């Protein structure tokens, strides 16, 4: 295939960056360098569409991240495990699937490469008794270490210590019945609240705590408060049954036990908590179960709240925003999986990003179904019933089984789930109702700023007379308008439906009463999914899920064209700004140290040269566009000895425009940088806005096309450090600012008035001194010769 033109590239799913081979293929190998970044871990190897004997090379999805270190085993430490005879427990990082911890009934194991290599996790002696070390009832993997739940008390094992957690970190000293962490990876998300999202949840029968990085824990609710939220009588019994994170990156679900007499049966309710809005939502869910039943929830990878529940024998499904519910059926025994697996009970349920769901019994018999499917099939026997195993997913998205043997060793084995499912489907003659389901959703996260639209399309191809269609569902705040357009074709017995969906927001933020409140109301996070109307176990993928974040993209910034921070000789220097050039006219001159790191390289301009800033917008992928909207500039140190070449009249103003002087006078209580911005901007091009005034004043608003320039003083040069801010309220949710410096030159500096006066005084004094001395000198000469003749008379010679 290489001879036919095959060349691979690496495409990143989240940032949508492309990396090419450095050179041509050498010895059958291409070399590609890819940076390892925390926010762009999911990557895919793609190739050209080169066919050889009607075969293509399939694209390959993989995870590339910075290696995470496993906790080293310290000599003399002791094993920590679950009770003897219990099943395996496993947990992994939501975004680093190869980093796994498994708790067995003799040891705890940890790996960072899907158990190709592994280490034992042990604890120091004299902290736990022998019974406590072998009584782990739950486990959770976090950035702070490995959390163990032992007899209702939470412990954490980190690189350096093994610590008991309680009141010292705002947790209860006992009575904890469960801990959990996130199951689905969302590297990027939008959260308006200042506190970041939690990494784990801890609960007792009556309280729920959220855990954050750095061993910080916060209690968020009690059952007494939940009774008030649910309008339940205080006399009834309400306890927390189970807690699980949903597929939404900011939500948490609580299963609640409700009963009055609490002897035979109880009701299970569901509430969902949003960490961003701090709101609780009671879901349309109620399940009657026996008083001793314990249900485990697992939310599926979907935009809507969809999940499955299981007890020891059955699986309950809740699809399509909890509107389709029931018990998972089997060909016989009415959905009782225990009767189909030699009376074994359910050990674990595995779910992945492609909609596959595998139910593993304690004797290693497995059942298979997919999201939105209401019946399960029994898979071929794969593992001996006496071996303890657990299902996991590696960094390539492939399912594998983890085996733990009695001798304290561990072994991974790849499990061909796709082939096994297709084998069963072939025997049952199952077929997917559609031929193909395509779309252009290339990433799982989209940012929408003001004035931006998002258009995606999906296409389904199916046999004639089947009657399929495409469904688009969204979950979250109602802040976007959604328009759909469907194109239909039929040819050669096959139908093709193509749907284009456009998400947009049409809100005008100019001259509103509360700019920041309106922004807050129209920002948020939506989850969207696109799916066919019918499914089958043989379909390759049942739905596509992605986020649409409406708000400020933290990776977006602006810069002034022509400025940089590296291409100049940096040296430490200080300059003085004369007090008469400062806005507030202080009593002393201002001494400024030039900050090269913040200000960058200054642009040197002749004092006769005007300057027009051109703003450019960038994001994490590089240059986006030249900014064409209004912006303002101000000198950050308070200089006001510059002006603008355009007047209000020349710019087309009908009323007096806003200026720095008028805005600072109006907002005296605010600092200079906050006195004027998009939140209070009003244009001057309408008689209805503003008031008449002197239109010959300088127009202090600049944009790309109005040819408004900065003009420098003619009698002195100086150093100016400007900050620029986007003024248009409909341009971005971000407060976009940039900084640049300009140094003017070419002006012959005028001498000081005192110096000139002193020189004139000295010259005058010297002149009069010379004049007086000359007068006395000539008077002395005059007096000398006024009494004595200038020429003596000649004497007569005596004659002998």
């Amino acid at each position: 295939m290489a001879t036919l033109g095959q060349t691979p590239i690496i495409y990143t799913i989240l940032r949508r960056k492309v990396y090419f081979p450095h050179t041509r293929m050498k010895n059958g190998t291409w070399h590609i360098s890819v940076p390892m970044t925390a926010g762009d871990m999911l990557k895919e190897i793609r190739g050209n569409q080169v066919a050889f004997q009607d075969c293509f090379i399939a694209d390959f999805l993989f995870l590339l991240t910075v290696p995470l270190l496993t906790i080293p085993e310290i000599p003399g430490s002791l094993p920590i495990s679950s009770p003897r005879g219990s099943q395996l427990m496993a947990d992994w990082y939501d975004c680093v699937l190869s980093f796994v911890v498994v708790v067995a009934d003799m040891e705890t194991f940890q790996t960072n490469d899907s158990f190709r290599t592994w280490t034992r996790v042990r604890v120091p002696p004299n902290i736990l008794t022998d019974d406590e070390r072998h009584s782990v009832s739950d486990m959770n993997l976090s950035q702070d270490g490995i959390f163990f739940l032992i007899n209702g008390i939470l412990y954490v094992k980190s690189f350096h210590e093994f610590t008991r957690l309680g009141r010292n970190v705002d947790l209860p000293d006992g009575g904890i019945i469960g801990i959990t962490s996130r199951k689905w990876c969302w590297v990027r998300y939008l959260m308006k609240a200042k506190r970041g999202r939690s990494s784990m949840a801890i609960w007792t029968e009556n309280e729920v705590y959220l855990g954050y990085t750095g061993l910080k824990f916060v209690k968020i609710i009690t059952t007494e408060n939940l009774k008030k939220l649910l309008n339940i009588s205080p006399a009834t019994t309400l306890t927390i049954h189970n807690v699980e994170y949903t597929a939404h990156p900011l939500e948490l679900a609580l299963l609640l036990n409700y009963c009055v007499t609490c002897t035979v049966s109880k009701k299970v309710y569901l509430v969902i908590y949003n960490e961003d809005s701090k709101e609780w939502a009671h879901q349309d869910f109620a399940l009657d179960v026996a008083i001793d039943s314990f249900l485990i929830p697992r939310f599926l990878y979907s935009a809507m709240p969809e999940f499955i529940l299981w007890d020891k024998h059955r699986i309950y499904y809740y699809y399509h925003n909890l509107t389709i519910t029931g018990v998972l059926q089997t060909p016989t025994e009415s959905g009782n999986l225990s009767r189909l697996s030699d009376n074994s009970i359910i050990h674990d349920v595995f779910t992945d990003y492609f909609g596959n769901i595998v139910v593993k019994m304690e004797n290693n018999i497995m059942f298979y179904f997919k999201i939105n499917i209401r019946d399960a099939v029994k898979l071929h026997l794969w593992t001996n019933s006496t071996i303890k195993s657990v299902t996991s997913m590696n960094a390539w998205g492939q399912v594998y089984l983890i085996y733990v043997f009695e001798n304290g060793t561990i072994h991974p084995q790849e499990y061909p789930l796709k082939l096994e499912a297709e084998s069963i489907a072939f025997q049952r003659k199952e077929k997917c109702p559609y031929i193909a389901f395509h779309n252009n959703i290339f990433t799982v996260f989209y940012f929408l700023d003001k004035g931006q639209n998002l258009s995606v399309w999906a296409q389904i191809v199916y046999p004639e007379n089947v009657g399929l269609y495409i469904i688009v569902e969204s979950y979250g705040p109602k802040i976007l308008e959604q328009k759909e357009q469907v194109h239909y074709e039929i040819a050669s017995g096959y139908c093709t439906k193509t749907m284009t969906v456009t998400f947009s927001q049409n809100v005008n933020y100019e001259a509103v009463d509360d700019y920041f409140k309106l922004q807050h109301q129209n920002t948020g996070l939506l989850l969207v999914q696109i799916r066919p109307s019918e499914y089958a176990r043989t379909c390759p993928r049942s739905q596509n899920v992605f986020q649409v974040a409406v708000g400020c993209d933290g990776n977006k910034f602006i810069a002034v064209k022509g400025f940089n921070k590296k291409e100049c000789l940096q040296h430490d220097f200080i300059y003085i700004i004369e007090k008469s050039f400062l806005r507030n006219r202080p009593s002393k001159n201002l001494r400024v140290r030039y900050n090269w790191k913040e200000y960058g390289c200054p642009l040197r301009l002749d004092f006769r040269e005007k300057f027009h800033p051109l703003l450019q917008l960038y994001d994490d992928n590089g240059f986006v566009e030249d900014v064409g909207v209004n912006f303002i500039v101000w000198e950050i140190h308070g200089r006001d000895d510059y002006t603008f070449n355009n007047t209000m009249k020349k710019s087309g103003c009908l009323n007096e425009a806003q200026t720095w002087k008028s805005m600072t006078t109006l907002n005296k209580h605010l600092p200079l940088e906050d006195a004027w911005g998009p939140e209070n901007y009003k244009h001057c091009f309408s008689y209805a806005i503003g008031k008449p005034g002197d239109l010959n004043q300088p127009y202090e608003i600049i944009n790309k096309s109005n040819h408004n320039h900065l003009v420098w003083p003619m009698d002195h040069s100086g150093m100016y450090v400007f900050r620029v801010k986007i003024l248009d309220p409909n341009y971005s949710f971000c407060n976009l600012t940039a900084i640049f410096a300009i140094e003017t030159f070419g002006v012959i500096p005028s001498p000081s008035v005192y110096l000139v006066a002193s020189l004139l005084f000295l010259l005058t004094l010297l002149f009069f001194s010379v004049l007086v001395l000359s007068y006395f000198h000539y008077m002395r000469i005059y007096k000398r010769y006024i009494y004595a003749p200038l020429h003596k008379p000649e004497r007569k010679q005596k004659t002998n």
Side-chain angles (χ1 to χ4, degrees), residues 618-631:
Y618 294 84
D619 61 14
D620 55 343
N621 291 319
F623 175 77
V624 177
E625 64 178 3
D626 290 332
V627 178
V629 299
N630 291 339
F631 59 90

Side-chain angles (χ1 to χ4, degrees), residues 170 207-210 217-222:
D170 299 322
E207 298 172 331
V208 179
Y209 298 81
L210 293 183
F217 300 91
V218 176
K219 180 165 59 175
I220 60 169
I221 198 72
T222 63

Side-chain angles (χ1 to χ4, degrees), residues 48 54 61 91 110 127 135 173 184 231 256 292 310-311 358 410 518 565 599 605 644 668 704 707 775 791 793:
N48 297 334
D54 295 328
L61 193 69
D91 194 26
Q110 185 179 18
I127 296 180
S135 300
D173 289 326
W184 303 110
N231 294 320
L256 305 173
D292 58 346
W310 68 90
D311 53 20
V358 178
I410 195 166
L518 185 62
K565 295 186 177 182
Y599 305 156
L605 292 178
F644 301 84
K668 293 180 179 180
K704 181 180 177 182
H707 304 292
Y775 170 78
H791 303 287

Side-chain angles (χ1 to χ4, degrees), residues 53-213:
Q53 295 183 354
D54 295 328
C55 292
F56 294 89
I57 296 179
D59 296 337
F60 184 72
L61 193 69
F62 67 101
L63 193 70
L64 182 63
T65 182
V66 177
L68 299 174
L69 299 178
T70 57
I71 299 176
E73 182 180 341
I74 301 175
S77 56
L78 301 175
I80 185 170
S81 67
S82 57
R84 191 66 182 172
S86 59
Q87 293 294 316
L88 301 181
M89 291 183 290
D91 194 26
W92 50 85
Y93 276 152
D94 53 354
C95 292
V96 187
L97 301 176
S98 58
F99 199 75
V100 189
V101 173
V102 172
V103 178
D105 60 358
M106 84 290 290
E107 288 279 1
T108 297
F109 307 91
Q110 185 179 18
T111 181
N112 58 5
D113 56 7
S114 300
F115 282 104
R116 284 184 288 180
T117 61
W118 49 272
T119 58
R120 292 181 176 90
V121 178
R122 295 190 168 189
V123 297
N126 303 323
I127 296 180
L128 299 174
T129 65
D130 290 342
D131 290 339
E132 289 174 334
R133 284 192 298 103
H134 300 291
S135 300
V136 176
S137 58
D138 206 348
M139 178 270 302
N140 184 35
L141 183 60
S142 173
Q143 294 183 4
D144 294 316
I146 306 171
F147 291 87
F148 295 97
L149 183 59
I150 302 173
N151 298 335
I153 301 172
L154 193 62
Y155 298 83
V156 59
K157 170 64 177 174
S158 63
F159 272 86
H160 308 290
E161 57 186 357
F162 181 71
T163 309
R164 173 175 173 168
L165 303 178
R167 293 181 182 177
N168 56 329
V169 291
D170 299 322
L171 283 176
D173 289 326
I176 298 175
I177 60 175
I179 57 176
T180 188
S181 60
R182 299 183 185 276
K183 300 297 186 294
W184 303 110
C185 176
W186 294 109
V187 176
R188 301 185 68 187
Y189 53 89
L190 177 67
M191 190 170 186
K192 297 188 288 185
K194 293 182 180 180
R195 179 186 288 272
R197 70 171 186 168
S198 62
S199 58
M200 64 181 298
I202 306 102
W203 66 95
T204 65
E205 282 192 350
N206 304 109
E207 298 172 331
V208 179
Y209 298 81
L210 293 183
Y212 301 87
T213 304

Side-chain angles (χ1 to χ4, degrees), residues 259-320:
C259 57
V260 179
T261 58
C262 301
T263 56
V264 179
S265 65
K266 62 183 178 181
K267 281 187 177 292
V268 179
Y269 290 143
L270 175 69
V271 293
I272 292 180
Y273 174 68
N274 188 294
E275 292 190 52
D276 195 20
S277 64
K278 304 292 189 297
E279 295 178 351
W280 293 87
H282 181 208
Q283 303 299 308
D284 186 14
F285 170 89
L287 182 63
D288 291 309
V289 295
I291 193 67
D292 58 346
S293 295
F294 183 73
L295 300 172
I296 302 175
R298 180 65 50 82
F299 280 81
L300 305 176
Y301 186 67
S302 62
M304 315 301 291
E306 298 179 329
F307 63 95
I308 54 176
L309 290 172
W310 68 90
D311 53 20
K312 293 181 178 181
H313 313 291
R314 289 180 174 83
I315 303 286
Y316 303 86
Y317 59 82
Y318 295 85
Y319 298 147
H320 301 168

